Amino acid sequence: MRADARRNYERLLAAAEELFRRDGTEASLEEVARTAGVGIGTLYRHFPNRDALLEALLREQFEGLRAAAERLTELPPEQALTELLVLFTERITQYRGLPASALAVLRTPGSALYEACHAMNDAGQRLVEHLQRAGVVRADVPARDVLALAASVAWLGEQSGDLEQRERLLRVVTDGFSARSS
Amino acid sequence: MRADARRNYERLLAAAEELFRRDGTEASLEEVARTAGVGIGTLYRHFPNRDALLEALLREQFEGLRAAAERLTELPPEQALTELLVLFTERITQYRGLPASALAVLRTPGSALYEACHAMNDAGQRLVEHLQRAGVVRADVPARDVLALAASVAWLGEQSGDLEQRERLLRVVTDGFSARSS
DNA sequence: ACCTGAACACCGTTCAAGT
DNA sequence: ACCTGAACACCGTTCAAGT
């Protein structure tokens, strides 16, 4: 990549980080380009769509989450579910709108973030299935429901801005998925 | 109201119903006006903002939900929570985006839908408090958390389009709020 | 009273023209 | 190769001019 192109790429990423953090995943791309001091066409050249920008910003984090989910298999099963939900919620609340974006990405296999997002989700599911076999998570519900409900609690936190509520509800949800609830 | 004004009002309402149902609560207001066969200015004259339109469409339904929540106090407490969540979820999924809109309305006391939404939410909370005193809902969590979590499950249903998942998660959530979970 | 639509300030996205 | 910004097709919202 040409030096000026590389510089533009970095500037766009930094601007996107800043504006996604401020305005959420639906931040204006024109403002991202303006903030980066670059023409709007340059943004589209480097990142053909919003998803590509998200991917560049989040791939590593999702990858880390996937790895973490795999490591959690070693933990005592009683702690693993709580730990998974805490880690997942942390990441998915990075930017406002991310729970919605992640769910959308998961439903569109072609998208830029799909790989990382799907791998993470899969690892989470495998952990949950492991916990179901261990008898600590109820088995009358598919494993994929767990992260889905966690994402929806994360979404609620965005809307209400009440982080204590989010913590409480994460506990309620954990209890709801506990095997003794079924 | 003048006859032509009344007619425009009705047309706008019908168009909004149709487009909210098709596109969700963020449907284009310009398209609503176009569909109604009316200038955009006329829409704004009758409904100063999107919320006013929502209010005209939903006030009665929210009012009905409030009344229903009050009647549920008569039910055996074991059934009341499930029943409340089912009724609430039905209404709040009327239009895509409504869970988000309702939460937003609840946070802006001046808004058009605030009264009806708040009254409904309050009635729901009182029912939950009643169930907490009856010992069927866990008491270590504020009553307002219950409808909030139900709204977030409703939101998830919008995103995934998986209605069976929504039903399952409503059960998980109900179990999570059950007194034997705390 | 009420209606209309042009006007303004924004978007996302594409693409011809430039270097 | 890469960058730029005008162009197009949309928004939400206001308000002067009309009836």
Side-chain angles (χ1 to χ4, degrees), chain B:
Chain B
M1 186 153 27
R2 231 163 63 178
D4 58 338
R6 159 119 270 147
R7 217 195 39 195
N8 283 339
Y9 179 91
E10 302 295 352
R11 282 186 180 175
L12 281 164
L13 225 46
E17 224 299 278
E18 180 187 337
L19 292 181
F20 282 12
R21 193 173 297 287
R22 194 190 73 191
D23 299 337
T25 58
E26 300 303 321
S28 158
L29 296 183
E30 290 197 319
E31 195 177 355
V32 169
R34 275 198 303 276
T35 303
V38 138
I40 182 64
T42 303
L43 183 150
Y44 277 93
R45 156 166 274 265
H46 285 290
F47 306 99
N49 50 50
R50 187 180 296 273
D51 232 59
L53 220 31
L54 264 184
E55 198 266 346
L57 290 169
L58 294 174
R59 185 188 48 242
E60 286 180 27
Q61 309 212 26
F62 280 8
E63 170 56 22
L65 200 47
R66 182 200 58 71
E70 284 175 5
R71 266 183 283 112
L72 289 179
T73 320
E74 326 274 298
L75 238 58
E78 288 75 19
Q79 297 165 39
L81 181 61
T82 306
E83 198 62 24
L84 173 70
L85 295 190
V86 167
L87 288 176
F88 176 78
T89 309
E90 241 169 52
R91 291 290 185 241
I92 207 73
T93 52
Q94 196 96 354
Y95 308 126
R96 202 159 15 96
L98 189 49
S101 302
L103 285 173
V105 158
L106 233 34
R107 280 159 51 84
T108 58
S111 100
L113 245 186
Y114 180 77
E115 284 312 326
C117 201
H118 186 264
M120 172 192 78
N121 192 52
D122 243 38
Q125 259 176 249
R126 278 194 302 272
L127 174 62
V128 171
E129 283 159 5
H130 165 74
L131 298 176
Q132 288 176 318
R133 283 190 301 270
V136 300
V137 168
R138 64 197 285 171
D140 62 342
V141 131
R144 76 188 129 83
D145 284 8
V146 174
L147 286 191
L149 189 50
S152 96
V153 169
W155 171 83
L156 180 66
E158 288 179 352
Q159 309 299 304
S160 72
D162 186 340
L163 296 193
E164 295 184 17
Q165 180 180 59
R166 199 182 75 195
E167 270 187 48
R168 286 194 307 271
L169 290 181
L170 230 37
R171 259 174 17 232
V172 169
V173 162
T174 310
D175 290 342
F177 279 120
S178 147
R180 65 200 172 82
S181 284
S182 66

Side-chain angles (χ1 to χ4, degrees), chain A residues 93-173:
Chain A
T93 52
Q94 197 97 352
Y95 308 127
R96 203 157 16 94
L98 188 50
S101 301
L103 286 173
V105 158
L106 234 33
R107 281 158 51 84
T108 61
S111 100
L113 245 185
Y114 180 78
E115 283 314 325
C117 201
H118 186 263
M120 171 193 80
N121 192 51
D122 244 38
Q125 259 177 247
R126 278 194 303 272
L127 175 62
V128 171
E129 283 159 7
H130 165 74
L131 299 177
Q132 287 176 318
R133 282 190 301 271
V136 300
V137 168
R138 64 196 287 171
D140 62 342
V141 133
R144 75 188 130 83
D145 284 7
V146 174
L147 286 192
L149 189 50
S152 95
V153 169
W155 170 82
L156 179 67
E158 288 180 351
Q159 309 299 305
S160 72
D162 186 339
L163 296 192
E164 296 183 15
Q165 180 182 59
R166 200 181 75 194
E167 271 188 47
R168 286 195 306 269
L169 289 181
L170 230 38
R171 261 177 12 235
V172 169
V173 162

